[in-house]
Amino acid sequence: MCVNRTFLAFSAAVISRTRVSRAVRYTSSIFSAVILLYTIMGDNCNHSSFTLERILNITCLCKGCFEKFSFEALQESAQYLLDRTSIRPRIGIICGSGLGPITETLTQKQCFPYEEIPHFPTSTVKGHAGQMVFGYLQGVPVMCMQGRFHYYEGYPLWKCSMPVRVMKLVGASHLIVTNAAGGLNDKFSVGDIMLMKDHVNMMGFAGNNPLQGPNDDRFGPRFPPMNRAYDKQLLTICDKVVEEMGIQNIVHKGVYTCLGGPNYETVAEMKLLKVLGVDAVGMSTVHEVITARHCDMKVVAFSLITNMCVADYEDHTEADHEDVVIIAKRMEGLLKEFVSRVVDHIKETLEDVAK
């Protein structure tokens, strides 16, 4: 039977491309691909365009969902950057949707497009420039992700958050994470800032975690705790900055959750999240924070509330990504100053930099 011959060729091809000891790891990938093959082939087993090369391509796609970059591969990414700049960052900053202009405050900037960095994916979302920017902010060497990677772009969570590990290998000990989010708390308004005091890992509830798979102790422990994911000292610094800037009326503390996207949520989903104590909803950050804490980085994160979540069936407002970019642009100056002041205060805790 033609399908049986195809399956045997497919299996042999997979085993020949991987060590036998690893073949078992890809069993689920193989069977997923076989189902896909049945779908593609239908009853026409002799379709001329259906070649072994196409089978191998499908195999690689499935395998890529499970096989993480090794410690050595991420060292290559880090070394590529270190070889091309004399800046040795102490703080990493992830710029969310529309928040890329934060990098305009840097001096002695050097930019590295993601497509030029070994092993890096590329960002496909409007408002994400897609480059790593090195420079100095308030005299502190920093590196900024001007654009991040999302699960809905087709990347597994470990790949979405792998740049955090590169930041760690480059030398960053602190991470500032920003995002654009929908406000679920009735006390929030569009344009407000929510300092993240905690998160609910909804994707983790579904068994999707950036730390899945074999653990490399060189990155961190097998079972990292998350009860102190957001550093209290850094949150205290943020409180000081809020007071200095006189923006207490637009800054809140709250709980964030990340959903898979790319669609915005239903009313029923929002009602559920509200019951769970969630204050803001987005499509990023949580897996980046988990990865950062796994490798012992100190983390602070905040959301710019760019729209209010619809949790009422009588409310016919619809979320729009264009509005997200517009609100981020409107708050650009304030956010630049906020991040700059936070970094300036962190500098006082970095003895080698403070001197």
Side-chain angles (χ1 to χ4, degrees), residues 216-280:
D216 191 325
D217 292 338
R218 289 173 293 182
F219 285 125
R222 170 75 282 185
F223 302 106
M226 285 293 141
N227 57 304
R228 294 193 298 171
Y230 302 92
D231 190 82
K232 287 187 176 181
Q233 184 182 17
L234 295 183
L235 279 171
T236 299
I237 285 174
C238 289
D239 290 337
K240 289 180 182 178
V241 171
V242 168
E243 188 174 347
E244 289 172 2
M245 294 177 65
I247 55 175
Q248 297 93 326
N249 60 319
I250 66 166
V251 179
H252 318 273
K253 286 193 176 75
V255 176
Y256 174 90
T257 195
C258 167
L259 301 181
N263 59 283
Y264 291 103
E265 300 75 26
T266 67
V267 172
E269 289 166 346
M270 287 304 183
K271 287 177 176 290
L272 172 63
L273 293 174
K274 209 167 187 177
V275 170
L276 294 176
V278 172
D279 297 296

Side-chain angles (χ1 to χ4, degrees), residues 93-297:
I93 303 172
I94 301 178
C95 305
S97 296
L99 302 176
I102 289 173
T103 60
E104 294 173 6
T105 57
L106 271 59
T107 59
Q108 300 182 42
K109 284 194 299 185
Q110 289 181 265
C111 301
F112 302 93
Y114 291 154
E115 59 266 24
E116 296 180 4
I117 304 174
H119 310 299
F120 259 60
T122 55
S123 182
T124 65
V125 183
K126 184 175 181 180
H128 292 253
Q131 59 183 359
M132 192 72 80
V133 183
F134 283 65
Y136 290 89
L137 183 56
Q138 296 293 338
V140 181
V142 302
M143 62 189 296
C144 300
M145 281 186 70
Q146 197 174 21
R148 52 154 55 94
F149 313 112
H150 302 83
Y151 186 70
Y152 62 74
E153 293 177 84
Y155 299 121
L157 288 184
W158 65 263
K159 187 172 283 189
C160 292
S161 55
M162 59 81 79
V164 173
R165 286 180 166 171
V166 174
M167 287 178 167
K168 173 69 175 183
L169 291 173
V170 165
S173 57
H174 292 63
L175 182 67
I176 300 173
V177 190
T178 75
N179 64 61
L184 190 55
N185 189 313
D186 295 331
K187 295 179 181 178
F188 293 0
S189 299
V190 170
D192 285 357
I193 295 172
M194 187 192 80
L195 300 173
M196 293 169 60
K197 65 178 182 181
D198 207 349
H199 67 238
V200 176
N201 184 14
M202 293 296 292
M203 297 180 76
F205 287 177
N208 198 352
N209 191 294
L211 305 182
Q212 279 178 314
N215 186 65
D216 191 325
D217 292 338
R218 289 173 293 182
F219 285 125
R222 170 75 282 185
F223 302 106
M226 285 293 141
N227 57 304
R228 294 193 298 171
Y230 302 92
D231 190 82
K232 287 187 176 181
Q233 184 182 17
L234 295 183
L235 279 171
T236 299
I237 285 174
C238 289
D239 290 337
K240 289 180 182 178
V241 171
V242 168
E243 188 174 347
E244 289 172 2
M245 294 177 65
I247 55 175
Q248 297 93 326
N249 60 319
I250 66 166
V251 179
H252 318 273
K253 286 193 176 75
V255 176
Y256 174 90
T257 195
C258 167
L259 301 181
N263 59 283
Y264 291 103
E265 300 75 26
T266 67
V267 172
E269 289 166 346
M270 287 304 183
K271 287 177 176 290
L272 172 63
L273 293 174
K274 209 167 187 177
V275 170
L276 294 176
V278 172
D279 297 296
V281 184
M283 303 175 190
S284 66
T285 302
V286 170
H287 40 277
E288 296 160 343
V289 172
I290 290 171
T291 302
R293 291 300 301 136
H294 179 246
C295 58
D296 199 31
M297 296 178 77

Side-chain angles (χ1 to χ4, degrees), residues 46-60:
N46 296 316
H47 197 290
S48 60
S49 66
F50 190 76
T51 64
L52 183 59
E53 182 180 1
R54 289 183 66 194
I55 298 174
L56 291 174
N57 287 339
I58 294 169
T59 307
C60 291

Side-chain angles (χ1 to χ4, degrees), residues 71-84:
F71 184 89
E72 289 73 21
L74 295 187
Q75 275 188 320
E76 289 179 20
S77 302
Q79 196 60 50
Y80 173 89
L81 296 168
L82 291 171
D83 288 345
R84 287 160 178 78

